Amino acid sequence: MLGSYHMQVLERSMDAANLRNRTIANNLANIDTPQYKSQQVVFEEYLQQELSGARGQQKLEAYRTNEKHIPFANAGGFATPQIVSNPNNFVQNNGNDVDLEAEETELAKNQIWYSGLTQLTAGAYQKIRSVIDGGGK
Amino acid sequence: MSLFQGINTSASALTANRLRMDTIASNIANAETTRANFVNGVWQPYRRKMVELSPKSGESFENLLQAAVGNVTGKNGSQGVRVTAIKEDETPFKLVYDPSHPDADKEGYVLMPNVDVMKEMVDMISASRSYEANITALNATKNMMMKALEIR
């Protein structure tokens, strides 16, 4: 239950949100740096692909010669956030392409997304706790 | 993932922008300073100073490790911004006609600093806005961490 697929998705998503927050902070830190190219984190698309596939279907399968061999659990197949440079922004005079408004919007969105994830995680633990307590409380 | 990386990144930007503000303040304060450097028996006016910024290298052990174990794919970017140099503006000094000035030459001309107060004001607004933007980022990071601590 604690290491369930559901929890793994939450954990991975929170890691991605953290990474995105760092990337945005970095873009904002370099808002006046000449020749700086902004970066962004791509994650939800990968997670979507992962979730739309069959649950047990992993991208990287270990080659098994015997039915009793233990398969890799999620090895390499789990949605991994990717840092890419932003392709759409136009460049200013000093070669910098940080878009302040876009970054701030992303920052706000990411924050809301993250608090949603923390609430879901807290809720999941709450369920476990109520099972342990036997619903007696 | 390093816990305070986001905050450190924003902090580096706050420091850099504070230094930009200090430099601008110095430029404005010395907009009329005719005696800044004593070179070959002659007083040279103040030269406008400018801050040079560059991204802090992202080639840290932690970033390389995260990429190697597959937690992140793609180039893990830099970790904030740093000031590489304070450069002097090499544009020529302004020549102003003012015979009553103590530093005037025989024709009554004075060499004045190459500071344009208007330009400094524009830079000042830019630096102060960047500072604000980074404060917002820092608060966002802080709020996220506080949210994470609420999980129990």
Side-chain angles (χ1 to χ4, degrees):
Chain A
M1 177 73 193
L2 282 168
S4 71
Y5 188 79
H6 179 68
M7 289 296 238
Q8 279 184 48
V9 171
L10 284 173
E11 187 190 322
R12 205 69 176 172
S13 303
M14 279 170 77
D15 268 353
N18 198 8
L19 181 69
R20 175 171 293 144
N21 180 68
R22 277 170 54 181
T23 309
I24 295 170
N26 193 38
N27 287 340
L28 287 172
N30 285 291
I31 199 163
D32 294 305
T33 309
Q35 304 302 326
Y36 177 81
K37 298 286 175 279
S38 65
Q39 295 176 316
Q40 63 183 34
V41 172
V42 185
F43 174 70
E44 282 82 353
E45 288 84 345
Y46 297 140
L47 186 66
Q48 192 65 48
Q49 282 170 19
E50 172 88 17
L51 295 177
S52 60
R55 239 176 80 154
Q57 192 186 322
Q58 280 136 23
K59 283 177 197 129
L60 184 72
E61 281 279 5
Y63 182 65
R64 288 185 288 168
T65 49
N66 189 307
E67 283 299 302
K68 288 175 181 166
H69 284 170
I70 300 165
F72 284 164
N74 291 324
F78 212 84
T80 307
Q82 190 175 16
I83 300 178
V84 294
S85 52
N86 208 336
N88 297 322
N89 287 355
F90 63 91
V91 180
Q92 298 159 22
N93 282 334
N94 60 356
N96 184 308
D97 70 346
V98 180
D99 182 346
L100 176 63
E101 284 77 15
E103 297 293 340
E104 292 281 359
T105 317
E106 281 300 315
L107 194 66
K109 272 158 61 179
N110 193 46
Q111 236 185 311
I112 295 167
W113 188 50
Y114 192 82
S115 26
L117 289 170
T118 54
Q119 277 181 32
L120 282 173
T121 314
Y125 281 121
Q126 196 59 49
K127 275 179 210 153
I128 297 168
R129 193 176 295 171
S130 84
V131 170
I132 293 170
D133 290 343
K137 254 200 226 172
Chain B
M1 276 179 206
S2 160
L3 183 57
F4 294 117
Q5 187 53 57
I7 284 184
N8 290 343
T9 301
S10 296
S12 76
L14 293 180
T15 312
N17 278 307
R18 166 73 68 199
L19 187 72
R20 279 177 79 201
M21 280 301 244
D22 289 349
T23 313
I24 292 164
S26 163
N27 286 343
I28 295 177
N30 286 294
E32 307 276 332
T33 305
T34 50
R35 297 183 181 195
N37 295 309
F38 200 58
V39 184
N40 298 328
V42 192
W43 279 105
Q44 292 277 309
Y46 175 86
R47 268 198 189 279
R48 175 176 178 243
K49 308 232 178 335
M50 293 174 298
V51 173
E52 194 181 88
L53 301 170
S54 79
K56 236 184 224 174
S57 164
E59 299 274 289
S60 70
F61 173 74
E62 193 220 333
N63 281 355
L64 294 173
L65 180 68
Q66 290 293 342
V69 298
N71 275 348
V72 176
T73 56
K75 196 170 168 291
N76 204 344
S78 64
Q79 304 174 315
V81 67
R82 69 193 178 105
V83 175
T84 42
I86 296 179
K87 287 270 171 68
E88 290 198 330
D89 191 348
E90 292 304 324
T91 53
F93 293 122
K94 284 181 280 185
L95 205 56
V96 179
Y97 182 70
D98 184 3
S100 64
H101 198 285
D103 289 326
D105 61 9
K106 276 167 262 151
E107 281 87 40
Y109 284 96
V110 193
L111 270 183
M112 293 298 261
N114 54 354
V115 176
D116 182 352
V117 178
M118 220 54 97
K119 220 184 259 178
E120 299 302 327
M121 297 303 274
V122 173
D123 284 354
M124 193 172 77
I125 295 169
S126 158
S128 119
R129 290 289 174 268
S130 300
Y131 194 89
E132 281 171 24
N134 282 293
I135 287 278
T136 313
L138 192 128
N139 278 334
T141 312
K142 203 179 76 185
N143 287 341
M144 274 174 64
M145 285 178 177
M146 297 312 287
K147 281 281 173 203
L149 289 175
E150 283 170 22
I151 304 171
R152 63 201 162 83

Tab-separated table of all heavy atoms in Angstrom, chain B residues 15 35 46 48 76 81 96 98 109 113 125:
chain	number	residue	atom	x	y	z
B	15	THR	N	21.121	38.705	-4.807
B	15	THR	CA	22.444	39.287	-4.570
B	15	THR	C	22.922	40.050	-5.803
B	15	THR	O	23.401	41.183	-5.698
B	15	THR	CB	23.454	38.172	-4.244
B	15	THR	OG1	22.886	37.318	-3.264
B	15	THR	CG2	24.760	38.739	-3.741
B	35	ARG	N	36.956	64.402	-10.243
B	35	ARG	CA	38.242	63.936	-9.724
B	35	ARG	C	38.099	62.531	-9.159
B	35	ARG	O	37.942	62.346	-7.940
B	35	ARG	CB	38.750	64.885	-8.644
B	35	ARG	CG	39.016	66.276	-9.164
B	35	ARG	CD	39.585	67.130	-8.084
B	35	ARG	NE	39.823	68.483	-8.602
B	35	ARG	CZ	40.579	69.367	-7.980
B	35	ARG	NH1	41.170	69.073	-6.854
B	35	ARG	NH2	40.742	70.574	-8.502
B	46	TYR	N	35.086	60.375	-13.192
B	46	TYR	CA	34.558	59.042	-12.860
B	46	TYR	C	34.078	58.346	-14.124
B	46	TYR	O	33.463	58.968	-14.996
B	46	TYR	CB	33.401	59.235	-11.879
B	46	TYR	CG	32.636	57.988	-11.510
B	46	TYR	CD1	33.058	57.167	-10.486
B	46	TYR	CD2	31.459	57.669	-12.182
B	46	TYR	CE1	32.338	56.043	-10.135
B	46	TYR	CE2	30.741	56.537	-11.836
B	46	TYR	CZ	31.187	55.733	-10.812
B	46	TYR	OH	30.468	54.620	-10.479
B	48	ARG	N	31.650	55.421	-15.770
B	48	ARG	CA	30.442	54.652	-15.473
B	48	ARG	C	30.778	53.168	-15.319
B	48	ARG	O	31.527	52.610	-16.119
B	48	ARG	CB	29.450	54.850	-16.613
B	48	ARG	CG	28.214	54.011	-16.495
B	48	ARG	CD	27.237	54.335	-17.597
B	48	ARG	NE	26.094	53.471	-17.478
B	48	ARG	CZ	25.736	52.587	-18.405
B	48	ARG	NH1	26.399	52.490	-19.526
B	48	ARG	NH2	24.688	51.824	-18.221
B	76	ASN	N	20.436	19.506	-17.558
B	76	ASN	CA	20.032	20.146	-16.316
B	76	ASN	C	20.729	21.494	-16.231
B	76	ASN	O	21.944	21.568	-16.195
B	76	ASN	CB	20.425	19.263	-15.140
B	76	ASN	CG	19.565	19.530	-13.936
B	76	ASN	OD1	18.888	20.559	-13.884
B	76	ASN	ND2	19.580	18.636	-12.979
B	81	VAL	N	22.491	32.758	-10.971
B	81	VAL	CA	23.249	33.724	-11.732
B	81	VAL	C	24.411	34.211	-10.875
B	81	VAL	O	24.364	34.136	-9.649
B	81	VAL	CB	22.320	34.890	-12.162
B	81	VAL	CG1	21.849	35.691	-10.974
B	81	VAL	CG2	22.963	35.772	-13.193
B	96	VAL	N	32.152	69.656	-21.178
B	96	VAL	CA	31.153	70.682	-20.855
B	96	VAL	C	31.851	72.039	-20.719
B	96	VAL	O	32.938	72.121	-20.127
B	96	VAL	CB	30.426	70.317	-19.537
B	96	VAL	CG1	29.392	71.386	-19.171
B	96	VAL	CG2	29.754	68.960	-19.642
B	98	ASP	N	32.300	75.259	-18.924
B	98	ASP	CA	31.971	75.849	-17.620
B	98	ASP	C	33.235	76.504	-17.054
B	98	ASP	O	33.974	75.900	-16.276
B	98	ASP	CB	31.457	74.754	-16.674
B	98	ASP	CG	30.997	75.323	-15.332
B	98	ASP	OD1	31.018	76.565	-15.161
B	98	ASP	OD2	30.634	74.521	-14.456
B	109	TYR	N	36.753	74.509	-20.698
B	109	TYR	CA	36.021	73.239	-20.822
B	109	TYR	C	36.372	72.288	-19.676
B	109	TYR	O	37.527	72.212	-19.261
B	109	TYR	CB	36.328	72.563	-22.165
B	109	TYR	CG	35.608	73.205	-23.325
B	109	TYR	CD1	36.242	74.172	-24.119
B	109	TYR	CD2	34.298	72.863	-23.607
B	109	TYR	CE1	35.582	74.767	-25.180
B	109	TYR	CE2	33.635	73.455	-24.663
B	109	TYR	CZ	34.278	74.402	-25.446
B	109	TYR	OH	33.612	74.984	-26.473
B	113	PRO	N	32.032	63.067	-16.130
B	113	PRO	CA	31.868	61.600	-16.225
B	113	PRO	C	30.937	61.201	-17.377
B	113	PRO	O	30.069	61.987	-17.768
B	113	PRO	CB	31.249	61.225	-14.885
B	113	PRO	CG	31.613	62.317	-13.975
B	113	PRO	CD	31.698	63.556	-14.788
B	125	ILE	N	15.117	50.784	-12.735
B	125	ILE	CA	13.779	50.182	-12.780
B	125	ILE	C	13.886	48.707	-13.140
B	125	ILE	O	13.267	47.845	-12.520
B	125	ILE	CB	12.879	50.937	-13.782
B	125	ILE	CG1	12.645	52.357	-13.286
B	125	ILE	CG2	11.553	50.220	-13.961
B	125	ILE	CD1	12.008	53.261	-14.303
